Amino acid sequence: MVTPERSVIPVRNKTSALAGACHPGPLAAVTALTAALAVTAGQAPGRCLLTTGAVLTGQLSIGWCNDAVDACRDSATGRRGKPVADGAIGAREVWTAAGAALAVCVPLSFACGWAAGAVHLTAVASAWAYDLRLKATRWSWAPYAVSFAALPAFVTLGLAGRPWPAWWVLAAGALLGVGAHLGNVLPDIRGDLATGVRGWPQRLGARRVRLLLPVPLVTASALLALGPAGPPGARQVAALVGAGLIAVAGTVLGRRREQTAFAAAVAVAALDVALLLSGGGLGTGTS
């Protein structure tokens, strides 16, 4: 096994490896969603930047923690594209980066208000708990539910008056988190079981996860389409019907290719995000 800490690696390569170890795809998606939620909720430009910066640093710390923790497991299962497992950077350096990002995240979070900061840091702590311990237990879904529900709450609590989001926004966020957990784990279940990771999806098995995956996502679609006051509009109905059709197609076609089920889940999640941003429930104000 490679021992990255003892390798002599050029600084430029280490910087690139560190960027790759932060899970750039999810980081970009969550950070962009936060910025969109902040604008939709009515945060002032300066507060939008502060809110987005807090989430960015939190996500950096979570991604680096995850790769450092999983380095040995990734090597054992032959996963490529993981900088620590590939020896492109040492685990100690990634741990240092994770700690530094977390140290910056704390004051940025509380700068958005004590209530908002407490909610966001609860979400970050929940994600760290997943990385360090809960991912291998039957409670692996819980950090995803907590962290995804906390995101809109962090945004609205940073507004004047510190309002909470509508209950259906919180519930939809939690369901999106559970769906994200199932979709994220689905392609790796066999490798996880081989290395002793027995989280909730691994205990269910790939077939059951594929069948279950659309349920929380489409339920979130229903909450976001039907939750706002008054009858749903044509766009809400179309999004809800589209989410259901995509979910069914992904489940059926996913019997032969799990990636199809995952792609369908991503498409439904995208519709849910669009519903969240257009459906109200976040409150408006200035801060």
Side-chain angles (χ1 to χ4, degrees):
M1 182 181 298
V2 176
T3 55
E5 289 84 350
R6 298 181 183 178
S7 302
V8 178
I9 304 171
V11 173
R12 183 167 55 184
N13 290 348
K14 284 188 177 183
T15 301
S16 176
L18 193 60
C22 73
H23 294 220
L27 180 146
V30 173
T31 304
L33 174 59
T34 301
L37 287 173
V39 171
T40 301
Q43 285 193 0
R47 180 54 63 86
C48 284
L49 290 175
L50 194 59
T51 299
T52 304
V55 170
L56 172 63
T57 52
Q59 289 298 306
L60 283 170
S61 78
I62 294 163
W64 282 326
C65 172
N66 183 278
D67 258 29
V69 168
D70 285 349
C72 292
R73 191 177 296 119
D74 290 336
S75 296
T77 56
R79 292 188 66 184
R80 309 308 302 169
K82 292 288 189 176
V84 183
D86 291 343
I89 192 170
R92 186 177 304 171
E93 292 162 300
V94 176
W95 275 122
T96 300
L102 184 61
V104 176
C105 175
V106 172
L108 286 179
S109 297
F110 282 124
C112 297
W114 288 104
V119 165
H120 182 237
L121 292 176
T122 296
V124 173
S126 175
W128 271 68
Y130 172 85
D131 288 344
L132 295 173
R133 173 69 181 124
L134 293 180
K135 73 182 300 178
T137 74
R138 66 180 70 251
W139 294 98
S140 61
W141 58 272
Y144 274 82
V146 169
S147 296
F148 273 70
L151 190 59
F154 173 48
V155 170
T156 62
L157 288 170
L159 295 168
R162 299 188 295 276
W164 282 87
W167 70 267
W168 46 268
V169 171
L170 295 173
L175 288 166
L176 280 171
V178 173
H181 178 41
L182 292 171
N184 184 56
V185 170
L186 179 59
D188 301 320
I189 286 179
R190 293 174 182 83
D192 287 342
L193 290 173
T195 55
V197 176
R198 289 184 53 80
W200 178 52
Q202 291 87 353
R203 293 166 191 257
L204 290 174
R207 179 178 175 276
R208 289 179 180 175
V209 169
R210 176 176 57 79
L211 294 174
L212 180 62
L213 177 55
V215 175
L217 296 174
V218 174
T219 304
S221 302
L223 284 172
L224 293 168
L226 305 176
R235 281 186 292 184
Q236 283 74 25
V237 172
L240 180 55
V241 172
L245 292 175
I246 292 170
V248 170
T251 301
V252 173
L253 298 176
R255 288 183 295 181
R256 295 189 176 183
R257 290 191 63 188
E258 288 177 354
Q259 289 298 329
T260 303
F262 178 73
V266 171
V268 174
L271 285 173
D272 289 347
V273 169
L275 284 168
L276 175 60
L277 293 173
S278 66
L282 293 174
T284 59
T286 58
S287 54

